[in-house]
Amino acid sequence: MKDVASRAGARRRGVIALLTMIAMPAVAGFAVAAEEEPTLPYILPDTVRVESSRLGFRLSDLASSAAVLPPGRIRMSASRETAEILAAVPGLHVYDPSGNGQQGVVESRGFTSFGQTSYLQVLVDGLPIAEIEADRVDWGIVSPEQIERVEVMRGPVASLYGDAAMGGVVNIVTRGPSRGAEGWIETRGGDDDWFRAAAGAAWSGAKSEGSISVVRRSVDGNREHSGARATGGVGTVRFPFSPSTSMRARLIARHSSAEIPGPLPDSLMRSDRSRSLTPEDRVDQDYFQPALELAHRLGASTELTAIARGEIRDLEATESVIPSGAMDRESRTRGAQAEARLRWNPVSSPLRQGLLGASTSMGRLESRYRDPDPSGEGALQGASDVDRATAAAFVAGRFQLSRRLSATGALRVDWTRSEVELPLGEEPAPEAQERSSLSPSIGLSYELPGMGQIFASVARSFKNPTLEQLYDRRPYFVDDDGPGGNPPFILHLSSSALEPQRGTHFDLGTRLSPVRELQIEGSGYYAKSEDEIGFDLANFRYDNIEKSIHYGFEGRATYSPLDPLRAELGYTWTRALFDGGKYDGKQINGVPIHRIHASMRLGPVLGSVLTIDGNHLRDQWLDEGNAYEIDPSTVVDAAIYHTQGALTLFAAMRNLFDEEYASAAYLTIDERGRELPLYFPGAPRSFEIGVRLAAP
């Protein structure tokens, strides 16, 4: 257990250092003009283009709820990890079960997937990064220092991206080429031996342009057995062969190792949050994603793009499930994807933008479970080998119906085939599964002169069950009558009979700027899902349990009465309800009904920028019956950045008021079959300082 006095002393030193940095601008006595692009705190809807729309829409033309987080919002906040940046977006629920930033989860509009991100399609520079086993997203693949902007489209995007886009799409755009050559380096550290160092370079010349960045991070964590280490990088290079033809190559690589402290029962949550009940749990992972893109202009308004992407992921872990115990796990994933798309922009036709494309992919997952053994050669208890193939065709377009009214439409057809082998041969393997889906969408956007826009849309979406939900062979040993009675029996959580979850969605919203100092956005939505994929606690397995209804409101207002001052208030009201069955009308567990995000930014003043962010959550349950409520929480972060020429110094205090809260929770059963609530403690107050140097 950590030395409490030592931690308290470190925090006192952190507070003193923060106050020192706040006083630095006054001592310096002169102003430094910060670069506009890195410090820009917001975007103007009529200037930014959203590439995740696949048609390159301006934000002001999108007939859907969307947000773009610019460089200033990303690099001048207290956020340590990429997932945390998204907490400012209405409609998204962000949390971290590990409490140390290593297991970020982002959920959208009440489509929950505890421990994974199954209902958001997450892209890096337009290419997906979720693994095929459980659609899990490692948000640490790209760090905030490596990001140029983040695009978020909320609501169904299945008509463009197919599976895993029921809740929306997040496109992380990495820092790209610059004029000439430039480099940067950044390092930061703080409580719990938190440390991260990042460096990057970019160039642009007549024969090539590109960028490369690397990140090394480590943390011991605020709980027992919660340390983590990771090293990764992103490299991109583009070669213009001619004025009309270019090639872009990209590689993402990452190695990570983390201990998993696990959840705590209520008694420990209230008495000793630093404990770990899963001291054996850890995960080591290697990830590589090479990609190649060829682009050729067929004319002034037409472009043909071909993309090939590979993926290699190796995972070794020890995982505990309370109360079943620990088991070693190995997963090997190999995959490849190819896509071709034709995009055109007519200039004298009602059709202003068009898209036609097709894609195909193949992947193989090899999964093994063994008894825990330091040598890694424990007895094999479960195994499965799964092959999955997909194919899709899609078409989309934007039509200008009148001077102010535009319509967008898209249609996508998806086909999936999964086939499993059971190497242990303990039972006949399930037959190969084939699934197909049709995902249409249509939207209208009307320009309000001098004000903004209003929009409405309707869409169909689907979510395939993951390979883990379908075929995972981890054995769960259940002793229902305790020691000395009948021997334990074995259960598997997976169910090969799962059907895709499907839904119909309606959106109505607006983006307004009545005066330059004020920006308002808001949207209401309604969605009805069929064959909801969830965990059936009564039968202890995944199942298409019931239907569900999702409706709510997402709004945000940003006000800047003075040039250096900017305030923002966001509110999310989310009703995600079981529709039918035992829990009819109950809020889906894990989904907070109310979420408020508030932020304030002051600067640059005398070369400094001060940011404060707060998040409040309430009315959230950890069980389907809404019998166990997660306590409301309010977490406030603060950061200050001081820039002098190419040098930036910064300090941040996270969880400023040391709020004790649970970042997530769930309900399971103990070895006697009794209900057992488990909680993941949120991170306590922590302090960090850092330095950033840019070299033109």
Side-chain angles (χ1 to χ4, degrees):
M1 189 167 297
K2 293 183 177 293
D3 187 328
V4 177
S6 175
R7 289 181 58 187
R11 288 176 182 166
R12 284 193 296 270
R13 291 191 296 272
V15 172
I16 293 172
L18 178 61
L19 293 174
T20 301
M21 291 201 69
I22 292 175
M24 282 173 54
V27 175
F30 56 86
V32 179
E35 294 178 333
E36 181 178 352
E37 183 175 317
T39 60
L40 187 66
Y42 61 95
I43 53 90
L44 300 176
D46 58 347
T47 60
V48 70
R49 302 187 72 85
V50 182
E51 291 301 324
S52 54
S53 68
R54 286 204 164 185
L55 289 171
F57 281 168
R58 294 183 307 165
L59 181 57
S60 59
D61 292 328
L62 277 175
S64 61
S65 301
V68 177
L69 303 178
R73 191 60 178 269
I74 296 168
R75 298 176 205 163
M76 294 207 170
S77 71
S79 299
R80 280 184 178 177
E81 302 297 339
T82 301
E84 297 170 1
I85 298 169
L86 298 174
V89 179
L92 300 186
H93 176 212
V94 180
Y95 60 93
D96 174 31
S98 73
N100 62 10
Q102 306 305 306
Q103 290 182 284
V105 178
V106 182
E107 297 172 345
S108 177
R109 292 189 168 182
F111 291 99
T112 71
S113 46
F114 180 76
Q116 52 198 13
T117 305
S118 295
Y119 296 92
L120 275 174
Q121 180 68 270
V122 181
L123 317 170
V124 172
D125 295 328
L127 298 178
I129 61 169
E131 41 97 321
I132 68 172
E133 183 172 12
D135 286 345
R136 277 182 285 259
V137 172
D138 182 356
W139 291 94
I141 284 178
V142 180
S143 291
E145 297 91 343
Q146 300 169 288
I147 298 174
E148 181 66 23
R149 69 181 187 276
V150 179
E151 304 171 349
V152 182
M153 293 176 61
R154 301 188 299 276
V157 202
S159 59
L160 292 175
Y161 289 97
D163 180 35
M166 182 171 277
V169 59
V170 175
N171 184 31
I172 301 168
V173 181
T174 59
R175 298 172 71 162
S178 62
R179 298 185 184 93
E182 69 173 8
W184 55 270
I185 186 169
E186 180 173 321
T187 183
R188 60 175 67 193
D191 290 350
D192 304 315
D193 289 331
W194 156 256
F195 173 78
R196 183 162 71 210
W203 73 93
S204 180
K207 296 184 179 180
S208 69
E209 61 181 28
S211 62
I212 185 171
S213 58
V214 294
V215 175
R216 169 66 179 174
R217 70 184 67 168
S218 64
V219 62
D220 284 349
N222 58 78
R223 296 176 59 193
E224 297 175 341
H225 191 74
S226 61
R229 309 288 183 269
T231 304
V234 179
T236 302
V237 61
R238 179 179 175 272
F239 301 97
F241 296 131
S242 70
S244 60
T245 305
S246 65
M247 180 184 75
R248 185 180 70 158
R250 192 195 71 182
L251 175 66
I252 297 177
R254 187 172 190 258
H255 170 76
S256 61
S257 177
E259 300 171 314
I260 310 298
L264 296 176
D266 185 71
S267 58
L268 286 178
M269 274 290 293
R270 300 182 186 280
S271 62
D272 189 358
R273 291 166 168 258
S274 68
R275 289 281 303 279
S276 171
L277 298 185
T278 57
E280 298 177 337
D281 283 20
R282 48 91 197 176
V283 57
D284 298 314
Q285 185 170 215
D286 292 302
Y287 177 76
F288 298 92
Q289 189 195 82
L292 186 66
E293 174 184 307
L294 292 173
H296 178 67
R297 286 196 171 276
L298 301 176
S301 61
T302 306
E303 183 179 64
L304 177 65
T305 304
I307 300 172
R309 176 181 68 92
E311 180 177 289
I312 301 172
R313 191 186 305 259
D314 292 334
L315 180 146
E316 295 184 359
T318 299
E319 299 176 346
S320 292
V321 175
I322 300 174
S324 298
M327 188 163 288
D328 287 344
R329 178 184 187 182
E330 300 172 6
S331 291
R332 303 286 182 266
T333 304
R334 304 291 184 267
Q337 179 187 17
E339 180 173 305
R341 54 178 179 256
L342 180 68
R343 190 165 77 175
W344 65 98
N345 299 285
V347 293
S348 59
S349 164
L351 176 62
R352 296 302 173 85
Q353 294 170 289
L355 174 70
L356 180 66
S359 67
T360 183
S361 69
M362 299 184 65
R364 180 174 177 83
L365 165 68
E366 299 176 355
S367 179
R368 302 289 184 270
Y369 289 99
R370 302 179 183 275
D371 290 333
D373 188 293
S375 68
E377 298 298 329
L380 189 62
Q381 298 290 341
S384 62
D385 297 334
V386 187
D387 292 295
R388 170 167 280 187
T390 70
F394 50 90
V395 60
R398 173 177 172 267
F399 300 83
Q400 197 68 38
L401 304 181
S402 69
R403 181 181 176 184
R404 294 191 174 93
L405 180 64
S406 64
T408 57
L411 178 67
R412 179 177 171 118
V413 179
D414 283 89
W415 171 85
T416 304
R417 176 185 171 88
S418 300
E419 189 171 3
V420 64
E421 301 173 4
L422 302 179
L424 290 180
E426 70 272 26
E427 58 184 80
E431 294 183 1
Q433 286 194 338
E434 293 189 12
R435 298 286 186 268
S436 61
S437 295
L438 184 68
S439 305
S441 69
I442 186 169
L444 294 173
S445 175
Y446 184 77
E447 180 186 353
L448 301 173
M451 291 279 290
Q453 69 172 134
I454 57 174
F455 60 84
S457 65
V458 59
R460 286 281 293 174
S461 68
F462 76 101
K463 173 67 187 73
N464 276 324
T466 67
L467 298 184
E468 185 176 80
Q469 292 168 341
L470 286 168
Y471 305 121
D472 188 57
R473 302 306 296 171
R474 178 192 172 111
Y476 290 81
F477 299 92
V478 179
D479 190 359
D480 59 345
D481 56 1
N486 296 321
F489 61 92
I490 296 176
L491 291 175
H492 295 103
L493 301 187
S494 59
S495 173
S496 60
L498 285 173
E499 293 289 334
Q501 180 175 330
R502 305 178 192 273
T504 303
H505 308 249
F506 301 88
D507 270 64
L508 177 64
T510 184
R511 282 183 282 269
L512 300 174
S513 184
V515 293
R516 183 174 176 83
E517 295 80 10
L518 178 64
Q519 296 181 29
I520 301 171
E521 63 175 279
S523 61
Y525 64 90
Y526 176 89
K528 190 174 181 66
S529 290
E530 306 156 5
D531 294 323
E532 180 95 14
I533 299 173
F535 186 70
D536 184 357
L537 187 61
N539 295 308
F540 207 67
R541 68 173 187 178
Y542 289 105
D543 202 354
N544 295 109
I545 48 179
E546 289 295 343
K547 301 176 182 179
S548 67
I549 295 175
H550 300 249
Y551 61 90
F553 172 80
E554 305 156 349
R556 177 168 56 180
T558 306
Y559 184 53
S560 183
L562 302 173
D563 191 39
L565 176 64
R566 182 175 178 83
E568 182 177 290
L569 180 64
Y571 172 67
T572 301
W573 178 60
T574 306
R575 295 312 311 265
L577 309 175
F578 293 105
D579 183 21
K582 180 180 179 181
Y583 302 111
D584 182 41
K586 298 290 187 180
Q587 181 82 353
I588 294 177
N589 46 308
V591 180
I593 296 179
H594 301 284
R595 186 173 79 84
I596 298 174
H597 173 82
S599 67
M600 187 275 291
R601 171 193 171 101
L602 179 63
V605 176
L606 298 177
S608 296
V609 176
L610 172 68
T611 64
I612 299 175
D613 286 88
N615 279 288
H616 174 75
L617 297 175
R618 67 177 307 108
D619 295 333
Q620 181 182 9
W621 287 268
L622 59 84
D623 65 307
E624 293 92 339
N626 296 175
Y628 300 91
E629 184 175 2
I630 302 176
D631 291 339
S633 63
T634 302
V635 179
V636 178
D637 300 331
I640 185 166
Y641 290 73
H642 178 71
T643 301
Q644 185 171 338
L647 181 68
T648 299
L649 304 176
F650 54 90
M653 187 76 77
R654 296 158 54 82
N655 194 358
L656 188 63
F657 301 108
D658 205 16
E659 175 87 346
E660 292 189 350
Y661 67 103
S663 65
Y666 68 95
L667 184 68
T668 185
I669 56 176
D670 64 15
E671 66 276 5
R672 298 292 184 90
R674 297 170 299 190
E675 291 183 342
L676 178 63
L678 294 172
Y679 301 83
F680 291 89
R685 181 169 53 217
S686 63
F687 174 78
E688 66 183 62
I689 58 174
V691 60
R692 179 187 301 153
L693 178 65

